[in-house]
Amino acid sequence: MPELPEVEALKDFLTENLVGHEIVRVLPVAISVLKTYDPPLTTVEGREVVAVHRHGKFLDLETDGGPHFVTHLARAGWLHWKDRLPDGPPRPGKGPLALRVALETGAGFDLTEAGTQKRLAVYVVADPHEVPGIARLGPDPLAEGFDGASLAALLKDERRQLKGALRDQTLIAGVGNAYSDEILHAARMSPFKLAASLTPEETETLYRALRATLTEAVERSRGVAAGRLKSEKKSGLRVHGRTGHPCPVCGDTIREVSFSDSSLQYCPTCQTGGKQLADRRMSRLLK
């Protein structure tokens, strides 16, 4: 799933390639991608893109005097930029293509989604906060005003484990499964540690790891073409998706805890005092 750093990089890429250009056609291929109908999707046609914004993991194309075209790439969605779109309209079928946006230059982008769980979403709204997911977002962890005290205030009454708290978009916007693993590894904290149990010193450590991990990932992604962002993300991960590999910090073997629809990775030496975490359903350390 694209998370804050990749969506920020996509925002920068689209700012460079979309702003100042006119959207001439928006061609939906999978009707399931459309989450709004008023105003209609065609309202953005004939309008110039004047700005591109990021709200958590949402991308927001602002048009001149018109609505916002907002998309969430979900778990298996992606944006593919094309300097020259194929001639003719796309054909509905079983492929991953969900929607195409064409510019007056002949360039544009495709939104695609792999797999059978169709969660890619497109909204056309007068105000981005009309999108329920944006309206519920917590603060952006890279915002100038987000400091250690801000994180402490968010976590002080949180009875959930750190892994779940960091992934909650209503608590902190933009962090998903991969970067929550990376942040907790950098902070040397167990993903099962209760958020409300952190001492002031631990909260400050977590804050520094949060900011540093996301800032470094954004910097790695900056200037990378949209088509290469996925591989760039994977190359920068230390523990997530690296089960069985040595930890780059201590050399211990990266371990995994599986859930029904996802998994987390961690280093026992760096994060859990050398102990291996039990299955998530047990919610405790193996003895």
Side-chain angles (χ1 to χ4, degrees):
M1 175 185 290
E3 299 179 36
L4 185 157
E6 295 77 51
V7 180
E8 180 72 11
L10 284 173
K11 183 205 77 173
D12 291 345
F13 178 86
L14 292 177
T15 296
E16 181 178 347
N17 290 277
L18 274 182
V19 170
H21 292 289
E22 177 189 337
I23 296 175
V24 293
R25 291 293 302 275
V26 182
L27 302 165
V29 177
I31 299 301
S32 61
V33 75
L34 302 178
K35 305 305 180 186
T36 57
Y37 62 90
D38 185 21
L41 185 63
T42 53
T43 308
V44 300
E45 294 181 346
R47 297 186 184 275
E48 178 184 319
V49 178
V50 295
V52 182
H53 311 280
R54 177 183 62 78
H55 312 279
K57 302 177 191 177
F58 290 83
L59 271 172
D60 169 14
L61 312 185
E62 181 182 354
T63 63
D64 183 20
H68 293 246
F69 177 99
V70 178
T71 184
H72 190 288
L73 296 172
R75 174 172 293 182
W78 197 248
L79 184 151
H80 301 269
W81 178 263
K82 299 180 183 297
D83 291 327
R84 183 72 189 182
L85 289 170
D87 294 329
R91 295 182 179 181
K94 296 182 180 180
L97 180 60
L99 184 140
R100 174 169 291 165
V101 174
L103 304 180
E104 90 286 358
T105 61
F109 63 85
D110 288 342
L111 295 179
T112 64
E113 185 172 24
T116 59
Q117 295 185 351
K118 301 304 181 183
R119 297 178 180 175
L120 178 69
V122 169
Y123 309 81
V124 176
V125 290
D127 185 323
H129 287 88
E130 293 176 18
V131 177
I134 293 178
R136 295 193 297 265
L137 285 176
D140 192 296
L142 293 186
E144 287 187 11
F146 189 85
D147 56 15
S150 303
L151 181 62
L154 292 174
L155 298 182
K156 67 176 183 178
D157 296 320
E158 275 294 330
R159 304 306 303 173
R160 289 177 293 175
Q161 295 163 345
L162 282 174
K163 173 72 175 180
L166 288 175
R167 291 185 64 188
D168 184 351
Q169 299 304 292
T170 67
L171 192 72
I172 301 171
V175 179
N177 196 32
Y179 287 108
S180 57
D181 283 351
E182 297 299 299
I183 290 163
L184 291 170
H185 178 255
R188 304 180 72 89
M189 292 181 184
S190 168
F192 288 177
K193 186 177 181 66
L194 290 180
S197 72
L198 296 182
T199 65
E201 293 75 18
E202 288 174 327
T203 302
E204 183 61 28
T205 296
L206 181 62
Y207 170 74
R208 290 196 300 269
L210 171 70
R211 293 279 289 206
T213 299
L214 295 178
T215 299
E216 290 167 7
V218 167
E219 289 304 315
R220 284 198 309 272
S221 301
R222 199 178 301 279
V224 175
R228 296 187 5 244
L229 281 171
K230 284 184 180 180
S231 58
E232 174 60 34
K233 176 180 180 178
K234 289 182 180 179
S235 69
L237 299 176
R238 292 187 168 196
V239 291
H240 184 79
R242 294 181 54 80
T243 303
H245 291 268
C247 170
V249 174
C250 71
D252 195 359
T253 302
I254 302 297
R255 307 300 175 110
E256 176 177 308
V257 177
S258 296
F259 305 88
S260 60
D261 61 350
S262 65
S263 63
L264 67 82
Q265 286 79 42
Y266 69 99
C267 170
T269 295
C270 291
Q271 297 175 252
T272 60
K275 296 181 179 179
Q276 189 177 158
L277 292 172
D279 184 273
R280 174 64 178 83
R281 290 166 295 181
M282 298 173 65
S283 297
R284 60 185 174 84
L285 291 173
L286 287 173
K287 295 183 179 179

